[in-house]
């Protein structure tokens, strides 16, 4: 098969001249380029110019869980064989990573080579702004452009109420497009279709957020199974159980993911800073460069809260995510762990000194 035919066959899945250049050395070895559309128990489905093939990932399964083959990877696969093996994957442009729920301090890669991270949030239940901020931190850290999609907008018929909800999310997501969509009525899909048509998008959110319904609307057919959410809390069962990569009819590629109950940060300091860009900017105006925004004199962040221009909830959420990120980094980085212990000791000494001062005042 000629390089031209390979290019035309894989272009709908995101193949471009840069990927072709990166694949040159594998091409001379007779290997085939392809994109991973699904991973399941050490094997994966790979779309190639010859169609979708099943391949084993044993050759590229290192001890580092962040370097395993994942959905969205471009790989070099053997042209034939039983079993057929993936020999390597091309360097990733972006990677969406979260921490696992295990006690081994490991990261889990959810999707690779993503251009847009679509965070689906259901309007059928009360907004959890803190969870949105958490998703956005991971999205920014991945290198993708986040987009928040408020699904089931038809369940909020009052225009004023819907406007307030959108405003709350926009305040929570500075620099991020916020769209309202009703897949049931087909409203708002034109803007989202235009966004996802320009590359690879990963669809993220909790179970019951309407991801599978949204995916079907973008695909123009019922490909993903849909289940009803519980009336009591709006949560659903895991309709999607694996990460699947699908070419969209209007252009672009969509990776659908299972509902994520736990969204732990994984070395996402830059992403957290991007989500709370206004706090980071205010922090640069503080009198002290290491200001903790707690009780220090000349703190621009606290001044903004006193002035009513910064919601206290934003600062609390910022502190929480920064502490969590410091903790996960410290568990895997000896230098960061030492710095964290030093910070704990400093704060402990300050606390003891404050308590001693209070005791003297009581006497």
């Amino acid at each position: 098969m000629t390089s031209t035919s390979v290019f035309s066959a894989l272009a709908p899945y995101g193949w471009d001249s840069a990927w072709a250049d990166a694949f040159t050395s594998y091409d001379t070895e007779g290997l085939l380029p392809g994109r991973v559309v699904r991973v399941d128990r050490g094997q994966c489905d790979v779309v190639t110019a010859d169609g979708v093939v099943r391949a084993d990932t044993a050759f590229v399964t290192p001890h580092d869980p962040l370097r395993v083959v994942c959905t969205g990877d471009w790989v070099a696969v053997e042209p034939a064989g039983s079993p057929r093996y993936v020999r390597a994957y091309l360097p990733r442009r972006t990677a969406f990573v979260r921490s696992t729920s295990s006690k081994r301090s490991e990261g889990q890669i959810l999707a690779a080579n993503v251009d847009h991270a679509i965070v689906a949030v259901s309007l059928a239940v009360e907004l959890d702004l803190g969870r949105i901020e958490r998703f956005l931190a991971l999205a920014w850290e991945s290198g993708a452009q986040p987009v928040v999609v408020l699904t089931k907008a038809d369940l909020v018929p009052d225009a004023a109420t819907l406007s307030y909800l959108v405003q709350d999310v926009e305040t929570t997501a500075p620099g991020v497009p916020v769209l309202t969509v009703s897949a049931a009525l087909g409203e708002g899909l034109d803007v989202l279709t235009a966004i996802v048509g320009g590359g690879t998008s990963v669809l993220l959110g909790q179970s019951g957020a309407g991801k599978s319904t949204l995916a079907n609307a973008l695909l123009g057919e019922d490909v993903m199974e849909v289940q009803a959410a519980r009336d009591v809390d709006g949560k659903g069962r895991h309709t999607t159980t694996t990460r699947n990569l699908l070419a969209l009819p209007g252009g672009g590629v969509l990776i659908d993911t299972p509902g994520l109950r736990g969204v732990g940060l994984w070395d996402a300091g830059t992403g957290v800073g991007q989500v709370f860009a206004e706090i980071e900017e205010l922090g640069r105006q503080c009198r002290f460069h290491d200001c903790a925004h707690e009780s220090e004199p000349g703190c621009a962040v606290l001044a903004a809260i006193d002035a009513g221009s910064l919601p206290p909830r934003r600062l609390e959420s910022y502190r929480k995510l920064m502490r969590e990120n410091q903790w996960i980094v410290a568990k895997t980085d000896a230098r960061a762990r030492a710095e964290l212990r030093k910070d704990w000791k400093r704060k402990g000494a300050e606390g003891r000194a404050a308590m001693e001062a209070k005791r003297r005042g009581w006497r």
Side-chain angles (χ1 to χ4, degrees), residues 18 31 214 232 322:
L31 299 174
L214 189 59
V232 64
M322 287 298 288

Side-chain angles (χ1 to χ4, degrees), residues 81-119:
S82 182
R84 180 179 293 191
Y85 288 97
V86 171
R87 288 292 178 173
Y89 65 80
L90 301 184
R92 293 162 177 157
R93 294 177 181 175
T94 62
F96 193 96
V97 181
R98 69 166 178 174
S99 67
T100 63
S101 57
S102 70
K103 298 180 180 179
R104 292 180 293 178
S105 305
E106 293 181 343
Q108 178 189 22
I109 183 164
L110 299 180
N113 303 312
V114 172
D115 300 294
H116 301 100
I118 311 298
V119 180

Side-chain angles (χ1 to χ4, degrees), residues 25-87:
S25 61
Y26 300 110
D27 192 29
T28 59
E29 298 176 27
L31 299 174
L32 299 177
R35 194 166 195 189
V36 177
V37 298
R38 175 188 171 106
V39 178
D40 183 22
R41 298 179 182 179
Q43 292 191 318
C44 62
D45 293 334
V46 182
V47 60
T48 70
D50 295 331
V52 177
V53 301
R54 188 72 168 167
D56 196 299
T57 64
F59 276 98
V60 283
T61 305
H63 295 297
D64 184 352
L66 297 181
R67 297 177 62 189
V68 300
V69 171
C70 75
T71 304
D73 271 327
W74 284 101
V75 297
V77 65
E78 294 175 342
S82 182
R84 180 179 293 191
Y85 288 97
V86 171
R87 288 292 178 173

Side-chain angles (χ1 to χ4, degrees), residues 8 176 272 314:
S8 61
V176 176
V272 173
R314 286 283 285 173

Side-chain angles (χ1 to χ4, degrees), residues 294-306:
E294 293 176 351
S295 59
E296 297 87 345
C299 176
V301 175
L302 297 180
I305 289 180
D306 291 339

Side-chain angles (χ1 to χ4, degrees), residues 98-169:
R98 69 166 178 174
S99 67
T100 63
S101 57
S102 70
K103 298 180 180 179
R104 292 180 293 178
S105 305
E106 293 181 343
Q108 178 189 22
I109 183 164
L110 299 180
N113 303 312
V114 172
D115 300 294
H116 301 100
I118 311 298
V119 180
V121 180
S122 173
L123 288 173
V125 294
E126 184 177 354
L127 289 177
D128 185 342
L129 299 179
R131 179 169 288 271
I132 294 174
E133 289 163 341
R134 182 178 292 272
F135 270 112
L136 292 176
L138 293 179
W140 280 122
E141 190 69 31
S142 75
Q145 166 66 51
V147 178
V148 176
V149 175
L150 302 178
T151 65
K152 308 181 184 181
D154 53 294
L155 299 181
V156 187
D158 181 66
T161 300
L162 183 60
S163 177
Y164 286 129
L165 292 172
V166 171
Q167 186 176 1
D168 285 344
V169 177

